[in-house]
Coordinates of all heavy atoms in Angstrom, one line a residue:
M1 N -15.8 -10.3 3.3 CA -14.5 -10.7 3.0 C -14.3 -10.3 1.5 O -15.1 -10.6 0.7 CB -14.3 -12.2 3.2 CG -12.9 -12.6 2.7 SD -12.4 -14.3 3.1 CE -13.8 -15.3 3.1
S2 N -13.1 -9.8 1.2 CA -12.8 -9.5 -0.1 C -11.6 -10.4 -0.5 O -10.8 -10.7 0.4 CB -12.4 -8.0 -0.3 OG -12.0 -7.8 -1.6
D3 N -11.5 -10.7 -1.7 CA -10.4 -11.6 -2.0 C -9.8 -11.3 -3.4 O -10.4 -11.0 -4.3 CB -10.9 -13.0 -1.8 CG -10.9 -14.0 -2.8 OD1 -10.0 -14.0 -3.6 OD2 -11.7 -14.9 -2.6
S4 N -8.5 -11.3 -3.4 CA -7.7 -11.1 -4.6 C -7.1 -12.4 -4.9 O -7.3 -13.4 -4.3 CB -6.6 -10.0 -4.2 OG -5.6 -10.0 -5.2
N5 N -6.2 -12.4 -5.9 CA -5.6 -13.7 -6.3 C -4.5 -14.1 -5.2 O -4.2 -15.3 -5.1 CB -4.9 -13.6 -7.6 CG -5.9 -13.5 -8.8 OD1 -7.0 -13.9 -8.7 ND2 -5.5 -12.8 -9.8
S6 N -4.0 -13.2 -4.5 CA -2.9 -13.5 -3.6 C -3.2 -13.3 -2.1 O -2.4 -13.7 -1.3 CB -1.7 -12.8 -4.0 OG -1.9 -11.4 -3.9
Y7 N -4.4 -12.7 -1.8 CA -4.7 -12.4 -0.4 C -6.2 -12.2 -0.2 O -6.9 -12.0 -1.2 CB -4.0 -11.2 0.1 CG -4.5 -9.9 -0.5 CD1 -5.4 -9.1 0.2 CD2 -4.1 -9.4 -1.8 CE1 -5.9 -7.9 -0.3 CE2 -4.6 -8.3 -2.3 CZ -5.5 -7.5 -1.6 OH -6.0 -6.3 -2.1
T8 N -6.6 -12.4 1.1 CA -8.0 -12.1 1.4 C -8.0 -11.1 2.6 O -7.1 -11.0 3.4 CB -8.8 -13.3 1.9 OG1 -8.2 -13.9 3.0 CG2 -8.9 -14.4 0.8
V9 N -9.0 -10.3 2.6 CA -9.2 -9.3 3.7 C -10.6 -9.6 4.4 O -11.6 -9.7 3.7 CB -9.1 -7.9 3.2 CG1 -9.6 -6.9 4.3 CG2 -7.7 -7.6 2.8
T10 N -10.6 -9.7 5.7 CA -11.8 -9.8 6.4 C -11.9 -8.6 7.3 O -10.9 -8.2 8.0 CB -11.8 -11.0 7.3 OG1 -11.6 -12.2 6.5 CG2 -13.1 -11.2 8.1
I11 N -13.0 -7.9 7.3 CA -13.3 -6.7 8.1 C -14.0 -7.1 9.4 O -14.9 -7.8 9.4 CB -14.1 -5.7 7.3 CG1 -13.3 -5.2 6.1 CG2 -14.6 -4.5 8.2 CD1 -12.1 -4.3 6.4
F12 N -13.5 -6.5 10.5 CA -14.1 -6.7 11.8 C -14.6 -5.3 12.2 O -13.9 -4.3 12.1 CB -13.2 -7.2 12.8 CG -12.6 -8.5 12.4 CD1 -11.3 -8.6 11.9 CD2 -13.3 -9.7 12.6 CE1 -10.7 -9.8 11.5 CE2 -12.8 -10.9 12.2 CZ -11.5 -11.0 11.7
S13 N -15.9 -5.3 12.6 CA -16.5 -4.0 12.9 C -17.0 -4.0 14.4 O -17.6 -5.0 14.8 CB -17.6 -3.7 11.9 OG -18.2 -2.5 12.2
G14 N -16.8 -2.9 15.1 CA -17.3 -2.8 16.4 C -18.8 -2.5 16.5 O -19.4 -2.6 17.6
D15 N -19.4 -2.1 15.4 CA -20.8 -1.8 15.4 C -21.6 -2.9 14.9 O -21.1 -4.0 14.8 CB -21.1 -0.5 14.6 CG -20.6 -0.6 13.1 OD1 -20.4 -1.8 12.7 OD2 -20.5 0.4 12.4
D16 N -22.8 -2.7 14.6 CA -23.7 -3.8 14.1 C -23.8 -3.8 12.6 O -24.9 -4.0 12.0 CB -25.1 -3.6 14.7 CG -25.1 -3.8 16.2 OD1 -24.3 -4.6 16.7 OD2 -25.9 -3.1 16.9
A17 N -22.7 -3.7 12.0 CA -22.7 -3.7 10.5 C -23.1 -5.1 10.0 O -22.7 -6.1 10.6 CB -21.3 -3.4 10.0
S18 N -23.9 -5.1 8.9 CA -24.3 -6.3 8.3 C -23.1 -7.0 7.5 O -22.1 -6.3 7.3 CB -25.4 -6.1 7.3 OG -25.0 -5.4 6.2
D19 N -23.3 -8.2 7.2 CA -22.3 -8.9 6.4 C -22.0 -8.2 5.1 O -20.9 -8.1 4.6 CB -22.7 -10.4 6.2 CG -22.6 -11.2 7.4 OD1 -21.9 -10.8 8.4 OD2 -23.1 -12.3 7.4
A20 N -23.1 -7.7 4.5 CA -23.0 -7.0 3.2 C -22.2 -5.7 3.4 O -21.4 -5.3 2.5 CB -24.4 -6.7 2.6
Q21 N -22.4 -5.0 4.5 CA -21.7 -3.8 4.7 C -20.2 -4.1 5.0 O -19.3 -3.3 4.5 CB -22.3 -3.0 5.9 CG -23.6 -2.4 5.7 CD -24.3 -1.9 6.9 OE1 -24.3 -2.6 8.0 NE2 -24.9 -0.7 6.8
K22 N -19.9 -5.2 5.7 CA -18.6 -5.5 5.9 C -17.9 -5.9 4.6 O -16.7 -5.6 4.4 CB -18.5 -6.7 6.9 CG -18.8 -6.3 8.3 CD -18.8 -7.4 9.3 CE -19.3 -7.1 10.7 NZ -19.4 -8.2 11.6
A23 N -18.6 -6.6 3.7 CA -18.0 -7.0 2.4 C -17.7 -5.8 1.6 O -16.7 -5.7 0.9 CB -19.0 -7.9 1.7
Q24 N -18.6 -4.8 1.6 CA -18.4 -3.5 0.9 C -17.2 -2.8 1.5 O -16.4 -2.2 0.8 CB -19.6 -2.6 1.0 CG -20.8 -3.2 0.2 CD -22.1 -2.4 0.4 OE1 -22.2 -1.7 1.4 NE2 -23.1 -2.6 -0.4
A25 N -17.1 -2.8 2.8 CA -15.9 -2.1 3.5 C -14.6 -2.9 3.1 O -13.6 -2.2 2.8 CB -16.1 -2.1 5.0
A26 N -14.6 -4.2 3.0 CA -13.5 -4.9 2.6 C -13.1 -4.6 1.1 O -11.9 -4.5 0.8 CB -13.7 -6.4 2.7
E27 N -14.1 -4.4 0.3 CA -13.8 -4.1 -1.1 C -13.1 -2.7 -1.2 O -12.2 -2.5 -1.9 CB -15.1 -4.1 -2.0 CG -15.7 -5.4 -2.2 CD -14.8 -6.3 -3.1 OE1 -14.0 -5.8 -4.0 OE2 -14.8 -7.5 -2.9
R28 N -13.7 -1.7 -0.4 CA -13.1 -0.4 -0.4 C -11.6 -0.5 0.2 O -10.7 0.2 -0.3 CB -13.9 0.6 0.5 CG -15.3 0.9 -0.1 CD -16.0 2.0 0.6 NE -16.1 1.8 2.1 CZ -17.1 1.2 2.7 NH1 -18.1 0.7 1.9 NH2 -17.1 1.1 4.0
F29 N -11.4 -1.3 1.2 CA -10.1 -1.5 1.8 C -9.1 -2.0 0.8 O -8.1 -1.4 0.6 CB -10.2 -2.5 3.0 CG -9.0 -2.7 3.8 CD1 -8.7 -2.0 4.9 CD2 -8.0 -3.6 3.3 CE1 -7.5 -2.2 5.6 CE2 -6.8 -3.8 4.0 CZ -6.6 -3.1 5.2
C30 N -9.5 -3.0 0.1 CA -8.6 -3.6 -0.9 C -8.3 -2.6 -2.0 O -7.1 -2.5 -2.5 CB -9.2 -4.9 -1.5 SG -9.3 -6.2 -0.3
A31 N -9.3 -1.9 -2.5 CA -9.1 -1.0 -3.6 C -8.2 0.1 -3.2 O -7.3 0.5 -4.0 CB -10.5 -0.4 -4.0
A32 N -8.3 0.6 -2.0 CA -7.4 1.7 -1.5 C -6.0 1.2 -1.3 O -5.0 1.8 -1.7 CB -8.0 2.3 -0.2
L33 N -5.9 0.0 -0.7 CA -4.6 -0.6 -0.5 C -3.8 -0.8 -1.8 O -2.7 -0.4 -1.9 CB -4.8 -1.9 0.3 CG -3.5 -2.6 0.9 CD1 -2.9 -1.7 2.0 CD2 -3.9 -3.9 1.4
E34 N -4.5 -1.4 -2.8 CA -3.9 -1.7 -4.1 C -3.5 -0.4 -4.8 O -2.5 -0.3 -5.4 CB -4.9 -2.5 -4.9 CG -5.0 -3.9 -4.3 CD -6.2 -4.7 -4.9 OE1 -6.8 -4.3 -5.9 OE2 -6.5 -5.8 -4.4
A35 N -4.4 0.6 -4.7 CA -4.1 1.9 -5.4 C -2.9 2.6 -4.7 O -2.1 3.1 -5.5 CB -5.4 2.8 -5.3
Q36 N -2.8 2.5 -3.4 CA -1.7 3.2 -2.7 C -0.4 2.5 -3.0 O 0.6 3.1 -3.2 CB -2.0 3.2 -1.2 CG -1.0 4.0 -0.4 CD -1.2 5.5 -0.6 OE1 -2.3 6.0 -0.9 NE2 -0.1 6.2 -0.5
L37 N -0.4 1.1 -3.1 CA 0.8 0.4 -3.3 C 1.2 0.3 -4.8 O 2.3 0.0 -5.2 CB 0.7 -1.0 -2.8 CG 0.6 -1.1 -1.3 CD1 0.4 -2.6 -0.8 CD2 1.9 -0.6 -0.6
G38 N 0.2 0.6 -5.7 CA 0.5 0.6 -7.1 C -0.1 -0.5 -7.9 O -0.3 -0.4 -9.1
D39 N -0.4 -1.7 -7.3 CA -0.9 -2.8 -8.0 C -1.3 -3.9 -7.0 O -0.7 -4.0 -5.9 CB 0.1 -3.4 -9.0 CG -0.5 -4.4 -9.9 OD1 -1.2 -4.0 -10.8 OD2 -0.2 -5.6 -9.7
A40 N -2.4 -4.6 -7.3 CA -2.8 -5.7 -6.5 C -1.7 -6.8 -6.2 O -1.6 -7.4 -5.1 CB -4.1 -6.4 -7.1
S41 N -0.9 -7.0 -7.2 CA 0.2 -8.0 -7.1 C 1.2 -7.6 -6.0 O 2.0 -8.5 -5.6 CB 0.9 -8.3 -8.4 OG 1.6 -7.1 -8.8
L42 N 1.3 -6.4 -5.6 CA 2.3 -5.9 -4.6 C 1.8 -6.1 -3.2 O 2.6 -6.0 -2.3 CB 2.6 -4.5 -4.9 CG 3.3 -4.2 -6.2 CD1 3.5 -2.7 -6.5 CD2 4.6 -4.9 -6.3
V43 N 0.5 -6.3 -3.0 CA 0.0 -6.3 -1.6 C 0.6 -7.5 -0.8 O 1.1 -7.2 0.3 CB -1.6 -6.4 -1.6 CG1 -2.1 -6.7 -0.2 CG2 -2.2 -5.2 -2.3
A44 N 0.5 -8.7 -1.3 CA 1.0 -9.8 -0.5 C 2.5 -9.7 -0.2 O 2.9 -9.8 0.9 CB 0.7 -11.1 -1.2
P45 N 3.4 -9.4 -1.2 CA 4.8 -9.4 -0.9 C 5.1 -8.2 0.0 O 6.0 -8.3 0.9 CB 5.5 -9.2 -2.2 CG 4.5 -8.9 -3.2 CD 3.2 -9.4 -2.7
M46 N 4.5 -7.1 -0.1 CA 4.7 -5.9 0.7 C 4.2 -6.2 2.2 O 4.9 -5.9 3.1 CB 4.0 -4.7 0.2 CG 4.6 -4.1 -1.0 SD 6.2 -3.2 -0.6 CE 5.6 -1.8 0.2
Y47 N 3.1 -6.9 2.3 CA 2.6 -7.2 3.6 C 3.6 -8.2 4.3 O 3.9 -8.0 5.5 CB 1.2 -7.9 3.5 CG 0.6 -8.2 4.9 CD1 0.2 -7.2 5.7 CD2 0.4 -9.5 5.3 CE1 -0.4 -7.5 6.9 CE2 -0.1 -9.8 6.5 CZ -0.5 -8.8 7.3 OH -1.1 -9.1 8.5
V48 N 4.1 -9.2 3.6 CA 5.0 -10.2 4.2 C 6.3 -9.4 4.6 O 6.8 -9.7 5.7 CB 5.3 -11.3 3.2 CG1 6.5 -12.1 3.7 CG2 4.1 -12.2 3.0
M49 N 6.8 -8.6 3.8 CA 8.0 -7.8 4.2 C 7.7 -6.9 5.4 O 8.6 -6.8 6.3 CB 8.5 -7.0 3.0 CG 9.1 -7.9 1.9 SD 9.9 -6.9 0.6 CE 8.4 -6.3 -0.3
Y50 N 6.6 -6.3 5.4 CA 6.2 -5.4 6.5 C 6.2 -6.2 7.8 O 6.7 -5.8 8.8 CB 4.9 -4.7 6.2 CG 4.4 -3.9 7.4 CD1 5.0 -2.6 7.6 CD2 3.4 -4.3 8.2 CE1 4.5 -1.8 8.7 CE2 3.0 -3.6 9.3 CZ 3.5 -2.3 9.5 OH 3.1 -1.6 10.6
Q51 N 5.5 -7.4 7.8 CA 5.4 -8.2 9.0 C 6.8 -8.6 9.4 O 7.1 -8.7 10.7 CB 4.6 -9.4 8.7 CG 3.1 -9.1 8.5 CD 2.5 -8.5 9.8 OE1 2.7 -8.9 10.9 NE2 1.8 -7.3 9.6
R52 N 7.7 -8.9 8.5 CA 9.1 -9.3 8.9 C 9.8 -8.1 9.6 O 10.5 -8.3 10.6 CB 9.9 -9.7 7.7 CG 9.5 -11.1 7.2 CD 10.4 -11.6 6.1 NE 9.9 -12.8 5.6 CZ 10.0 -13.2 4.4 NH1 10.5 -12.5 3.5 NH2 9.5 -14.4 4.0
L53 N 9.6 -6.9 9.1 CA 10.2 -5.7 9.7 C 9.6 -5.5 11.1 O 10.3 -5.1 12.0 CB 9.9 -4.5 8.8 CG 10.7 -4.5 7.5 CD1 10.3 -3.4 6.6 CD2 12.2 -4.5 7.7
V54 N 8.3 -5.6 11.2 CA 7.7 -5.5 12.6 C 8.2 -6.5 13.5 O 8.5 -6.2 14.7 CB 6.1 -5.6 12.5 CG1 5.5 -5.7 13.8 CG2 5.6 -4.3 11.7
N55 N 8.4 -7.7 13.1 CA 9.0 -8.8 13.9 C 10.4 -8.5 14.3 O 10.8 -8.8 15.4 CB 8.9 -10.1 13.3 CG 7.5 -10.7 13.2 OD1 6.6 -10.3 14.0 ND2 7.2 -11.5 12.2
T56 N 11.1 -7.8 13.4 CA 12.5 -7.5 13.7 C 12.7 -6.2 14.5 O 13.5 -6.2 15.5 CB 13.3 -7.3 12.3 OG1 13.2 -8.5 11.6 CG2 14.8 -7.0 12.6
F57 N 12.0 -5.1 14.1 CA 12.2 -3.8 14.7 C 11.1 -3.4 15.7 O 11.2 -2.4 16.3 CB 12.3 -2.8 13.6 CG 13.5 -3.0 12.7 CD1 13.3 -3.5 11.5 CD2 14.8 -2.7 13.2 CE1 14.4 -3.7 10.6 CE2 15.9 -2.9 12.3 CZ 15.7 -3.4 11.1
G58 N 9.9 -4.1 15.7 CA 8.8 -3.7 16.6 C 7.8 -2.9 15.8 O 8.0 -2.4 14.7
E59 N 6.7 -2.6 16.5 CA 5.5 -1.9 15.9 C 5.9 -0.4 15.6 O 5.4 0.1 14.6 CB 4.3 -2.0 16.8 CG 3.7 -3.3 16.9 CD 2.8 -3.7 15.7 OE1 2.3 -2.7 15.0 OE2 2.6 -4.9 15.4
T60 N 6.6 0.2 16.4 CA 7.0 1.6 16.3 C 8.5 1.8 16.3 O 9.0 2.3 17.3 CB 6.3 2.5 17.3 OG1 6.6 2.0 18.6 CG2 4.8 2.5 17.1
P61 N 9.2 1.3 15.3 CA 10.6 1.3 15.3 C 11.2 2.7 15.1 O 10.6 3.6 14.6 CB 11.0 0.4 14.2 CG 9.9 0.6 13.2 CD 8.7 0.8 14.1
D62 N 12.5 2.8 15.5 CA 13.3 4.0 15.1 C 13.7 3.7 13.6 O 14.5 2.8 13.4 CB 14.5 4.1 16.0 CG 15.4 5.2 15.6 OD1 15.1 6.0 14.6 OD2 16.5 5.4 16.2
V63 N 13.1 4.4 12.7 CA 13.3 4.1 11.3 C 14.7 4.4 10.9 O 15.2 4.0 9.8 CB 12.3 4.8 10.4 CG1 10.9 4.3 10.5 CG2 12.3 6.3 10.5
E64 N 15.5 5.2 11.7 CA 16.9 5.5 11.4 C 17.8 4.3 11.5 O 18.8 4.3 10.9 CB 17.4 6.6 12.3 CG 16.6 7.9 12.2 CD 16.7 8.5 10.8 OE1 17.8 8.5 10.2 OE2 15.7 8.9 10.3
V65 N 17.3 3.2 12.2 CA 18.2 2.0 12.3 C 17.9 1.1 11.1 O 18.6 0.1 10.9 CB 17.9 1.2 13.6 CG1 18.3 2.1 14.8 CG2 16.5 0.7 13.7
M66 N 16.9 1.4 10.3 CA 16.6 0.6 9.1 C 17.4 1.1 7.9 O 17.8 2.3 7.8 CB 15.1 0.7 8.7 CG 14.1 0.2 9.7 SD 12.4 0.5 9.1 CE 11.5 -0.4 10.3
N67 N 17.7 0.2 7.0 CA 18.3 0.6 5.8 C 17.3 1.3 4.9 O 16.1 1.2 5.2 CB 19.1 -0.5 5.1 CG 18.2 -1.6 4.5 OD1 17.1 -1.4 4.0 ND2 18.7 -2.8 4.7
D68 N 17.7 1.9 3.8 CA 16.7 2.6 2.9 C 15.6 1.7 2.4 O 14.4 2.2 2.4 CB 17.4 3.3 1.8 CG 18.3 4.4 2.2 OD1 18.2 4.9 3.3 OD2 19.2 4.8 1.4
A69 N 15.9 0.5 2.0 CA 14.9 -0.4 1.4 C 13.9 -0.8 2.5 O 12.7 -0.8 2.3 CB 15.5 -1.6 0.8
E70 N 14.4 -1.1 3.7 CA 13.5 -1.4 4.8 C 12.6 -0.3 5.2 O 11.4 -0.5 5.4 CB 14.3 -1.9 6.1 CG 15.0 -3.2 5.9 CD 16.1 -3.4 6.9 OE1 16.5 -2.5 7.6 OE2 16.4 -4.6 7.2
R71 N 13.1 0.9 5.3 CA 12.3 2.1 5.6 C 11.3 2.3 4.6 O 10.1 2.7 4.9 CB 13.3 3.3 5.8 CG 12.6 4.5 6.3 CD 13.5 5.7 6.6 NE 14.7 5.5 6.1 CZ 16.0 5.4 6.4 NH1 16.3 5.5 7.1 NH2 17.1 5.1 5.9
E72 N 11.6 2.2 3.3 CA 10.7 2.4 2.2 C 9.5 1.4 2.3 O 8.3 1.8 2.2 CB 11.4 2.2 0.9 CG 10.5 2.4 -0.3 CD 9.9 3.8 -0.5 OE1 10.6 4.8 -0.1 OE2 8.8 3.9 -1.1
V73 N 9.8 0.2 2.6 CA 8.7 -0.8 2.7 C 7.8 -0.5 3.9 O 6.6 -0.5 3.8 CB 9.3 -2.3 2.8 CG1 8.2 -3.3 3.3 CG2 9.9 -2.7 1.5
F74 N 8.5 -0.2 5.0 CA 7.7 0.0 6.3 C 6.8 1.3 6.1 O 5.6 1.2 6.4 CB 8.7 0.3 7.4 CG 8.1 0.3 8.8 CD1 7.8 -0.9 9.4 CD2 7.7 1.5 9.4 CE1 7.2 -0.9 10.7 CE2 7.1 1.5 10.6 CZ 6.8 0.4 11.3
E75 N 7.4 2.3 5.6 CA 6.6 3.6 5.5 C 5.5 3.4 4.4 O 4.4 3.9 4.5 CB 7.5 4.8 5.2 CG 8.3 5.1 6.5 CD 9.4 6.1 6.2 OE1 9.6 6.5 5.1 OE2 10.0 6.6 7.3
S76 N 5.9 2.8 3.3 CA 4.9 2.6 2.2 C 3.7 1.7 2.7 O 2.5 2.1 2.4 CB 5.5 1.9 1.0 OG 6.5 2.7 0.4
W77 N 4.0 0.7 3.5 CA 2.9 -0.1 4.0 C 2.0 0.7 4.9 O 0.8 0.6 4.9 CB 3.3 -1.4 4.6 CG 2.1 -2.2 5.1 CD1 1.5 -2.2 6.3 CD2 1.3 -3.0 4.3 NE1 0.4 -2.9 6.3 CE2 0.2 -3.5 5.1 CE3 1.3 -3.4 3.0 CZ2 -0.8 -4.3 4.6 CZ3 0.3 -4.2 2.5 CH2 -0.7 -4.7 3.3
Q78 N 2.6 1.4 5.8 CA 1.9 2.2 6.8 C 1.0 3.2 6.1 O -0.2 3.4 6.5 CB 2.8 2.9 7.8 CG 3.3 1.9 8.8 CD 4.0 2.5 10.0 OE1 4.7 3.5 9.8 NE2 3.8 2.0 11.1
L79 N 1.5 3.9 5.1 CA 0.6 4.8 4.3 C -0.5 4.1 3.6 O -1.7 4.6 3.6 CB 1.5 5.6 3.3 CG 2.5 6.6 3.8 CD1 3.4 7.1 2.8 CD2 1.7 7.8 4.5
A80 N -0.2 3.0 3.0 CA -1.3 2.2 2.3 C -2.3 1.7 3.3 O -3.5 1.8 3.0 CB -0.6 1.1 1.5
E81 N -1.9 1.2 4.4 CA -2.8 0.7 5.4 C -3.7 1.8 6.0 O -4.9 1.6 6.1 CB -2.0 0.1 6.6 CG -2.9 -0.5 7.7 CD -2.1 -1.0 8.8 OE1 -1.2 -0.3 9.3 OE2 -2.4 -2.2 9.2
S82 N -3.1 3.0 6.2 CA -3.9 4.1 6.7 C -5.0 4.5 5.6 O -6.1 4.8 6.0 CB -2.9 5.3 6.9 OG -3.6 6.4 7.4
A83 N -4.6 4.6 4.4 CA -5.5 4.9 3.3 C -6.6 3.9 3.2 O -7.8 4.2 3.1 CB -4.8 5.0 2.0
A84 N -6.3 2.6 3.4 CA -7.3 1.5 3.3 C -8.2 1.6 4.5 O -9.4 1.4 4.3 CB -6.5 0.2 3.3
M85 N -7.7 1.8 5.7 CA -8.5 1.9 6.9 C -9.5 3.1 6.7 O -10.7 3.0 7.1 CB -7.7 2.1 8.1 CG -6.8 0.9 8.5 SD -7.8 -0.6 9.0 CE -8.1 -0.1 10.7
Q86 N -9.0 4.2 6.2 CA -9.9 5.3 6.0 C -11.0 5.0 5.0 O -12.1 5.4 5.2 CB -9.1 6.5 5.6 CG -9.8 7.8 5.5 CD -8.9 9.0 5.2 OE1 -7.9 8.9 4.6 NE2 -9.3 10.2 5.7
A87 N -10.6 4.3 3.9 CA -11.6 3.9 2.9 C -12.6 3.0 3.5 O -13.8 3.1 3.2 CB -10.9 3.3 1.7
A88 N -12.2 2.1 4.3 CA -13.1 1.1 4.9 C -14.0 1.6 6.0 O -15.2 1.3 6.0 CB -12.4 -0.1 5.4
F89 N -13.4 2.4 6.9 CA -14.1 2.9 8.1 C -14.5 4.3 8.1 O -15.2 4.8 9.0 CB -13.3 2.5 9.3 CG -13.1 1.0 9.5 CD1 -11.9 0.5 9.2 CD2 -14.1 0.2 10.0 CE1 -11.7 -0.9 9.4 CE2 -14.0 -1.1 10.1 CZ -12.7 -1.7 9.8
G90 N -14.0 5.1 7.2 CA -14.3 6.6 7.2 C -13.2 7.4 7.9 O -12.3 6.8 8.5
T91 N -13.2 8.6 7.7 CA -12.2 9.5 8.2 C -12.2 9.7 9.7 O -11.2 10.1 10.3 CB -12.2 10.9 7.5 OG1 -13.5 11.4 7.7 CG2 -11.9 10.8 6.0
H92 N -13.4 9.6 10.3 CA -13.5 9.8 11.7 C -13.7 8.6 12.5 O -14.5 8.5 13.5 CB -14.7 10.8 12.0 CG -14.6 12.1 11.2 ND1 -13.6 13.0 11.5 CD2 -15.3 12.5 10.2 CE1 -13.7 14.0 10.7 NE2 -14.7 13.8 9.8
R93 N -12.9 7.5 12.2 CA -13.0 6.3 12.9 C -12.2 6.3 14.2 O -11.3 7.1 14.3 CB -12.6 5.1 12.0 CG -11.1 5.1 11.7 CD -10.7 3.9 10.9 NE -10.6 2.7 11.8 CZ -9.7 2.4 12.6 NH1 -8.6 3.2 12.7 NH2 -9.7 1.3 13.3
Y94 N -12.6 5.5 15.1 CA -11.9 5.3 16.4 C -11.3 3.9 16.4 O -11.8 3.0 15.7 CB -12.8 5.5 17.6 CG -13.4 6.9 17.6 CD1 -14.6 7.2 17.1 CD2 -12.6 7.9 18.1 CE1 -15.1 8.5 17.1 CE2 -13.1 9.2 18.2 CZ -14.4 9.5 17.6 OH -14.9 10.8 17.6
L95 N -10.2 3.8 17.1 CA -9.5 2.5 17.1 C -10.3 1.3 17.5 O -10.1 0.2 17.0 CB -8.2 2.6 18.0 CG -7.2 3.5 17.5 CD1 -6.0 3.6 18.5 CD2 -6.6 3.1 16.2
D96 N -11.3 1.5 18.3 CA -12.1 0.3 18.8 C -13.3 0.1 17.8 O -14.1 -0.8 18.1 CB -12.6 0.6 20.2 CG -13.5 1.8 20.4 OD1 -13.5 2.6 19.5 OD2 -14.2 1.9 21.4
E97 N -13.4 0.8 16.8 CA -14.5 0.6 15.9 C -14.4 -0.5 14.9 O -15.3 -1.0 14.3 CB -14.8 1.9 15.1 CG -15.4 3.0 15.9 CD -15.8 4.2 15.0 OE1 -15.4 4.2 13.8 OE2 -16.4 5.1 15.6
G98 N -13.2 -1.0 14.7 CA -13.0 -2.1 13.8 C -11.6 -2.3 13.3 O -10.7 -1.5 13.7
G99 N -11.4 -3.3 12.6 CA -10.1 -3.7 12.1 C -10.2 -4.6 10.9 O -11.3 -4.8 10.4
Y100 N -9.1 -5.2 10.6 CA -9.1 -6.1 9.5 C -8.1 -7.2 9.7 O -7.2 -7.2 10.6 CB -8.7 -5.4 8.2 CG -7.2 -5.0 8.1 CD1 -6.3 -5.9 7.5 CD2 -6.7 -3.9 8.7 CE1 -4.9 -5.5 7.4 CE2 -5.4 -3.6 8.7 CZ -4.5 -4.4 8.0 OH -3.1 -4.1 8.0
Q101 N -8.3 -8.3 9.0 CA -7.3 -9.4 9.0 C -7.0 -9.6 7.5 O -7.9 -9.8 6.7 CB -7.9 -10.7 9.6 CG -7.0 -11.8 9.5 CD -7.6 -13.1 10.0 OE1 -8.8 -13.3 9.9 NE2 -6.8 -14.0 10.5
L102 N -5.7 -9.6 7.2 CA -5.2 -9.9 5.9 C -4.5 -11.2 5.9 O -3.7 -11.4 6.8 CB -4.2 -8.8 5.4 CG -3.9 -8.8 3.9 CD1 -3.6 -7.4 3.4 CD2 -2.7 -9.7 3.7
R103 N -4.9 -12.1 5.0 CA -4.4 -13.4 5.0 C -3.8 -13.7 3.6 O -4.5 -13.4 2.6 CB -5.5 -14.4 5.3 CG -4.9 -15.8 5.6 CD -6.0 -16.8 6.1 NE -7.1 -17.0 5.1 CZ -7.2 -18.0 4.3 NH1 -6.3 -19.0 4.4 NH2 -8.1 -18.1 3.5
I104 N -2.6 -14.1 3.6 CA -1.9 -14.4 2.3 C -2.4 -15.8 1.9 O -2.4 -16.8 2.7 CB -0.4 -14.4 2.5 CG1 0.1 -13.1 3.0 CG2 0.3 -14.8 1.1 CD1 -0.2 -11.9 2.2
L105 N -2.7 -16.0 0.6 CA -3.2 -17.3 0.0 C -2.0 -18.1 -0.5 O -1.0 -17.6 -0.8 CB -4.2 -17.0 -1.1 CG -5.4 -16.2 -0.7 CD1 -6.3 -16.0 -1.9 CD2 -6.2 -16.9 0.4

């Protein structure tokens, strides 16, 4: 588990990764997420906004029905999440290999 001032990330792995390996993956995940979004302080608010958009428009919405600000948040989070997943699990990961839980503090 990695933890910032405003959120924590727990990595779940489909393989037999040790707790230390999962902690390292969480650190890589957070670093990539923060770098992609621009700052650690943006992770929690962007995640909350993204979750609201998913609740409103669904997991794979037609982004044309979103206003510009909603689309920007949605697409920015998806890019950041993709970069973080790649950092944590590698470029050739499969969907059943692992995931994460982000919790706002």
